[in-house]
Amino acid sequence: MAVAVLKKGTAVFPHNTDLLAGVVLYSTKIGSNEKETEENLLRIPKEQWNWRAFTFYIDAVNNGDRNNENYSLALDTAEEYIRILPNEERAYMAKYGTLERYGEHEKAKAVLEEADQNLGMTAQCSFTLCEIYKMEGAYEEAIRTATKAIISTAESQPSVNISAALAERAFSRDALVQRDILSHSRSIDDCIEDMQLALEDYQIAEKLGYRHDNIIQTRIRILNSLIHPRDINESSEEMDDETKKNALLSLMALLNMNKQRLDELLSSLQKLSPITQDNHEEYLQLFYDAAEGDQEKAKQIQILVENIFM
C-alpha cells in the first residue's frame, strides 16, 4: 500500500528524492525490486538529496543481501551523506549501522566517537555510544555520553527516549559505584554523591515511563540501603508468595542448587548484621564469595537475597 501511494507521488513529482527513496526502501520490505525507481533516484546528484533520501536509500541497500557489493554501496553512500550534510547526526548513524551490519564493530564505534566529538547535538550517537561504553566497563565515558544524549533530546530527534537515556546514565553511575566499592578504590562514603545522582536519574526515568521499571525499583532499593544502612532483621514490604518462590528458585540456581551454601550465606549475613557503611565492604564480599569469584553472579545473588530475606 505504501509503495503504491509513493509511486503515485513520483508520477506527479518525478524528481522528489524523498518519494523516490521511499519507494526503493518500502519495496525492499515487501520483497519487491524497484530497479527503475532506484536508477531514477541515482540520476539526481546527491548534492540535491536531503537526509530522508540518504537515510531511506542506505536502509534499502542494507535490507538487501549481505555481500561486498551492497556493503561498498551502502558505505560509499554513507560517506557521501557525511560529506554533503556534515552536521546531520543521522549521517553518522547511517554509517554506523552499515558497519555494524557487516561486523566492523570497532570502526562503527569510531564513527559514533567522531560524531560525539564533532557535533554539538548527538542524541542518537551519544546514546548508542553510552550503551557501548557501559558494556565495556568504561563507566565514566558512559555517564558523559548519556548526559550529552539527554541534553541533545531537547531539540534533536525524538527517536531517542529521554527516560532510556536517564536510565542508562543511572545504570552506568550505579555500576561505577559497585565497581569502586568492590575494588576498594573508593569507600562507601566517597560514593554517596554518585549514588544520590544515580537515584535521581532512576526516579525520573521511572516517572517518565521507562519500560524496565522493576529493575529500576530494585536498584533504587539497593542504593537506598547503601545510603541509609539498616539492620538485616528489619522487615520490608512482603513479596507475594509466587514472586518469592520464583526469586528463591533463581537464587538456588545461582548457587548450583546447594542449600548448604545458601544457609552459610544467610548465617554470615546474620552475624554481620546490622549492615552499616563501616562493614558494607565485608557485606559485599560475602556475595562475592558465594558466587565463587564471579562478580556479575555476585550482584545477582545480592539482589535476590535482599529482595527475599531483607
Side-chain angles (χ1 to χ4, degrees):
M1 180 67 178
V3 174
V5 172
L6 289 168
K7 288 188 77 172
K8 288 181 180 179
T10 61
V12 179
F13 303 103
H15 302 295
N16 186 299
T17 58
D18 283 10
L19 294 172
L20 292 168
V23 171
V24 176
L25 172 60
Y26 289 108
S27 66
T28 64
K29 294 180 182 292
I30 59 173
S32 176
N33 186 350
E34 291 290 339
K35 197 67 181 174
E36 183 179 347
T37 304
E38 181 178 357
E39 289 172 354
N40 289 338
L41 173 65
L42 294 176
R43 288 192 190 99
I44 299 172
K46 289 190 174 64
E47 285 74 11
Q48 296 178 26
W49 290 22
N50 62 16
W51 72 264
R52 290 185 189 84
F54 275 112
T55 298
F56 287 179
Y57 183 64
I58 293 166
D59 284 350
V61 175
N62 282 331
N63 284 344
D65 293 335
R66 191 182 277 108
N67 56 44
N68 289 336
E69 181 181 356
N70 281 339
Y71 175 49
S72 296
L73 178 58
L75 189 59
D76 289 347
T77 306
E79 288 173 349
E80 282 287 277
Y81 190 177
I82 293 172
R83 181 185 67 80
I84 294 168
L85 299 172
N87 296 319
E88 177 55 70
E89 183 192 11
R90 297 177 186 88
Y92 291 89
M93 286 301 295
K95 186 175 180 180
Y96 163 79
T98 299
L99 290 166
E100 272 291 303
R101 174 175 167 77
Y102 287 89
E104 299 281 3
H105 304 302
E106 285 303 313
K107 289 182 180 179
K109 175 185 170 185
V111 171
L112 297 178
E113 290 175 327
E114 182 182 354
D116 181 63
Q117 180 178 350
N118 293 342
L119 304 183
M121 305 292 277
T122 51
Q124 295 180 49
C125 291
S126 293
F127 178 76
T128 307
L129 198 51
C130 165
E131 293 182 305
I132 294 171
Y133 284 141
K134 187 187 71 176
M135 293 302 294
E136 293 176 344
Y139 301 124
E140 292 90 346
E141 283 299 292
I143 293 165
R144 181 189 65 77
T145 48
T147 300
K148 187 173 182 183
I150 292 163
I151 294 169
S152 297
T153 58
E155 59 180 77
S156 190
Q157 304 93 3
S159 56
V160 173
N161 188 322
I162 191 168
S163 69
L166 284 161
E168 283 298 317
R169 185 168 70 175
F171 288 135
S172 299
R173 204 182 297 277
D174 192 348
L176 175 66
V177 167
Q178 302 301 324
R179 183 198 69 187
D180 289 354
I181 291 173
L182 285 169
S183 66
H184 307 294
S185 61
R186 282 197 292 171
S187 68
I188 293 175
D189 285 345
D190 291 336
C191 293
I192 292 293
E193 182 179 356
D194 275 333
M195 288 190 282
Q196 289 172 333
L197 289 171
L199 272 175
E200 289 174 7
D201 280 347
Y202 279 139
Q203 290 163 347
I204 297 172
E206 188 177 31
K207 288 178 181 177
L208 292 175
Y210 181 66
R211 63 187 183 280
H212 300 303
D213 60 324
N214 57 326
I215 298 174
I216 283 184
Q217 289 165 11
T218 300
R219 297 313 305 170
I220 287 174
R221 183 168 176 272
I222 290 169
L223 287 176
N224 274 323
S225 74
L226 292 176
I227 298 171
H228 309 291
R230 59 182 174 81
D231 191 304
I232 194 172
N233 291 314
E234 289 182 24
S235 62
S236 59
E237 185 177 346
E238 289 289 328
M239 299 173 99
D240 63 72
D241 291 341
E242 188 62 26
T243 303
K244 182 175 286 189
K245 178 183 176 182
N246 291 333
L248 187 56
L249 285 172
S250 298
L251 177 59
M252 289 300 294
L254 288 168
L255 296 171
N256 299 321
M257 307 309 288
N258 189 330
K259 189 175 185 304
Q260 183 179 348
R261 284 173 63 191
L262 175 59
D263 291 341
E264 289 173 354
L265 174 59
L266 294 177
S267 175
S268 297
L269 289 168
Q270 186 68 47
K271 291 174 183 176
L272 192 62
S273 180
I275 309 304
T276 67
Q277 292 181 9
D278 291 334
N279 65 9
H280 195 267
E281 291 182 12
E282 188 178 350
Y283 171 71
L284 293 176
Q285 186 65 44
L286 290 175
F287 296 108
Y288 188 72
D289 292 342
E292 299 179 318
D294 186 324
Q295 187 168 325
E296 187 57 38
K297 186 184 287 188
K299 291 179 185 177
Q300 295 175 39
I301 291 171
Q302 179 186 350
I303 291 169
L304 288 168
V305 167
E306 288 175 341
N307 276 281
I308 298 168
F309 300 106
M310 294 182 161

